[in-house]
Amino acid sequence: MTDSKVILVTGSATGLGLNIAKLLSSKNHKVYASMRDIEGKNKTNAQSIRDWGNQYPTKITVIELDVSCEKSVDRAISAIVEEEGRLDVVINNAGLGALGITESFTVEQAKQVFEVNTFGPMRVNQAALPHMRSQNSGLLLHITSSAGRLCFPFLGIYNASKFAIEALAESYIYELKSFEIDIAIIEPGAYPSELHDKRLQPKNSHVIKDYGETAQIPALMVQGMKDLMSSPQAPDANEIANAVYAIVAMDTGSRPLRTVVGNIATEGIEALNEATQKYQSQLLDSLGMN
């Protein structure tokens, strides 16, 4: 049994975030399962988590947090620290998908994706870090994607947002060493996910028409993925939650920066990570920072 930690999981209303929150709470951690609009859109989801927690000897609390709103983030982090006296782990899981002809997305739509996938974790980290630095310990864990390391066609906006958070997360490592704060990134491949159904639809439909047969590919990709994820060959999304739990359980300083999870759409990611780490180390050596 690991030592009990105070953990915040963003995007816990359903799916992966919910699985992570439940697993960690079942392992004796005090988990704050966050989501938007717990008295409105997510009222049923929030109550479902509370009901589940009441059935077991778990420590799980639903908390309002919208990663796209700085006030909401600050309010949630402050409430957790006030209640618990500390915050040990932040799991940045909330995400927004977007698939289609890249040109057909508006700039405003791209901003919407970045608000959740990139600026969202940045807001949460900035609210959590003063407390982690004060306690001289902590873990910031980011759920990104294999699409944050390799560029998948028709996922241009999503790719860009995940590439960005990968870079941001890695940059923390070199700046937070003296505070005993770990950074970790989990890069899942393709798994059953509500992102397929909740993804943004491009608004510039007049652009799509100009692409002819190419414009049909995104819909075929979505259908193919749905067929795979509803088949007996579908991967188990609990593999991601298990990977999160394993990293949380590790000792400070021993956690890997990047962990690839899954066998679908992950080919070459581990080799890429090893190669880039080699050259990253060379860069740090040249700067006298290794």
Side-chain angles (χ1 to χ4, degrees):
M1 183 72 69
T2 59
D3 293 335
S4 180
K5 295 180 173 64
V6 177
I7 302 175
L8 167 64
V9 183
T10 68
S12 298
T14 58
L16 175 57
L18 178 59
N19 289 345
I20 292 171
K22 285 183 174 181
L23 177 61
L24 292 175
S25 66
S26 73
K27 300 297 184 179
N28 201 40
H29 297 298
K30 177 59 187 289
V31 175
Y32 283 83
S34 79
M35 63 193 71
R36 296 179 298 162
D37 199 11
I38 61 177
E39 294 300 329
K41 176 183 177 181
N42 280 317
K43 185 174 183 178
T44 300
N45 293 326
Q47 189 57 49
S48 177
I49 293 175
R50 296 188 190 101
D51 292 342
W52 177 86
N54 290 335
Q55 296 177 37
Y56 304 96
T58 59
K59 302 174 182 177
I60 190 166
T61 300
V62 176
I63 190 167
E64 173 94 25
L65 191 157
D66 180 352
V67 299
S68 66
C69 174
E70 187 171 340
K71 289 183 178 179
S72 175
V73 171
D74 290 344
R75 188 163 49 241
I77 298 289
S78 295
I80 294 170
V81 174
E82 182 177 351
E83 178 69 22
E84 305 294 338
R86 71 187 200 275
L87 176 58
D88 301 309
V89 180
V90 166
I91 298 172
N92 286 298
N93 165 73
L96 178 61
L99 186 149
I101 300 291
T102 300
E103 185 189 353
S104 66
F105 287 96
T106 66
V107 172
E108 289 304 314
Q109 285 185 299
K111 288 180 179 179
Q112 187 178 349
V113 173
F114 271 77
E115 283 292 347
V116 176
N117 294 354
T118 308
F119 302 136
M122 186 175 182
R123 289 187 187 94
V124 174
N125 291 345
Q126 288 189 338
L129 277 172
H131 305 289
M132 290 184 171
R133 286 191 285 104
S134 177
Q135 65 197 28
N136 213 48
S137 66
L139 166 63
L140 300 177
L141 192 154
H142 308 78
I143 309 294
T144 63
S145 170
S146 57
R149 296 297 274 167
L150 291 176
C151 191
F152 288 78
F154 305 99
L155 286 172
I157 305 300
Y158 183 78
N159 280 326
S161 69
K162 291 297 186 178
F163 268 65
I165 195 59
E166 286 260 350
L168 182 67
E170 183 169 353
S171 71
Y172 286 126
I173 293 178
Y174 316 118
E175 302 165 15
L176 294 171
K177 280 185 178 180
S178 64
F179 296 103
E180 299 295 318
I181 297 172
D182 276 353
I183 307 299
I185 299 169
I186 287 184
E187 300 167 335
Y191 279 91
S193 171
E194 292 187 339
L195 281 177
H196 301 305
D197 296 318
K198 294 182 177 180
R199 71 190 188 282
L200 286 186
Q201 301 290 336
K203 289 186 175 180
N204 286 333
S205 57
H206 63 284
V207 172
I208 298 175
K209 295 177 182 178
D210 294 340
Y211 277 77
E213 293 184 359
T214 301
Q216 301 174 20
I217 298 176
L220 295 174
M221 290 173 63
V222 171
Q223 188 57 53
M225 189 61 63
K226 285 185 176 180
D227 291 344
L228 174 60
M229 294 306 160
S230 62
S231 73
Q233 289 74 40
D236 182 0
N238 287 317
E239 293 173 356
I240 306 174
N242 290 334
V244 169
Y245 169 63
I247 290 175
V248 169
M250 293 178 184
D251 293 333
T252 299
S254 68
R255 298 176 174 109
L257 171 58
R258 289 184 169 90
T259 300
V260 179
V261 182
N263 298 316
I264 300 176
T266 57
E267 185 175 356
I269 303 295
E270 289 186 351
L272 175 62
N273 288 344
E274 290 177 6
T276 55
Q277 185 56 47
K278 171 185 175 181
Y279 294 110
Q280 184 68 33
S281 293
Q282 290 179 4
L283 171 63
L284 294 175
D285 284 340
S286 72
L287 299 173
M289 295 181 63
N290 233 352

